[in-house]
Amino acid sequence: TIGQRHGLGIGGTGNDNPEPWYVIGKDQSKNTLYVGQGFEHPQLYSDMLKASNLNLILPSYPLDTCTCKTRYRQKDLNCKVKVQEDRCEVYFPEPARSITPGQSVVFYDGEVCLGGAVIDAAYKDGVKRQYQ
């Protein structure tokens, strides 16, 4: 998945940068995995995602002040959600790391789960992330 570090099997690189390598993208049609060096690699961050198969537990609950998670045990991310039938767009005031298509985005109000959806794509500055 995007942001994965372990199990890549990448050894020494011959450069002076000791930071680990992370998955920053993939192209399944070419059987290619793209990696970047460093936890803060810019290709790991997105400010918006689009998701489908939206399932809201409380459909009338306003999602403009909720939080979400896109990874297990992740810190809550502040977000604003724009709902369009069974799809949604999720906007982050601070860039979110390692958003991975195929994973779930789950919405919360504190400890209360509001619903979730399946991530279709991640975006940065309005541009769809390459090699998702």
Side-chain angles (χ1 to χ4, degrees):
T1 59
I2 306 300
Q4 178 179 334
R5 174 180 166 197
H6 298 287
L8 297 178
I10 299 175
T13 61
N15 66 21
D16 294 329
N17 187 345
E19 291 188 87
W21 294 86
Y22 294 88
V23 174
I24 60 171
K26 59 187 174 181
D27 185 337
Q28 290 179 326
S29 68
K30 295 180 181 177
N31 198 29
T32 302
L33 194 64
Y34 297 93
V35 296
Q37 204 166 10
F39 186 83
E40 300 293 331
H41 193 284
Q43 286 294 316
L44 290 172
Y45 289 87
S46 303
D47 53 18
M48 191 266 277
L49 68 82
K50 290 185 180 183
S52 58
N53 297 325
L54 178 64
N55 182 13
L56 295 175
I57 297 167
L58 301 170
S60 62
Y61 191 89
L63 297 175
D64 56 346
T65 59
C66 69
T67 62
C68 71
K69 290 182 190 275
T70 60
R71 300 179 86 78
Y72 180 66
R73 292 190 182 178
Q74 177 183 48
K75 175 184 103 170
D76 288 356
L77 301 170
N78 290 321
C79 66
K80 180 180 260 189
V81 183
K82 181 179 174 184
V83 175
Q84 302 163 348
E85 297 179 12
D86 70 337
R87 299 182 172 281
C88 65
E89 294 179 352
V90 182
Y91 298 89
F92 303 101
E94 297 293 324
R97 188 176 182 280
S98 303
I99 293 175
T100 302
Q103 300 285 352
S104 294
V105 56
V106 182
F107 307 110
Y108 295 92
D109 180 4
E111 297 293 315
V112 177
C113 179
L114 303 173
V118 178
I119 300 169
D120 295 322
Y123 295 78
K124 177 70 175 164
D125 298 326
V127 177
K128 183 177 178 181
R129 287 283 182 214
Q130 284 187 304
Y131 312 117
Q132 299 188 58

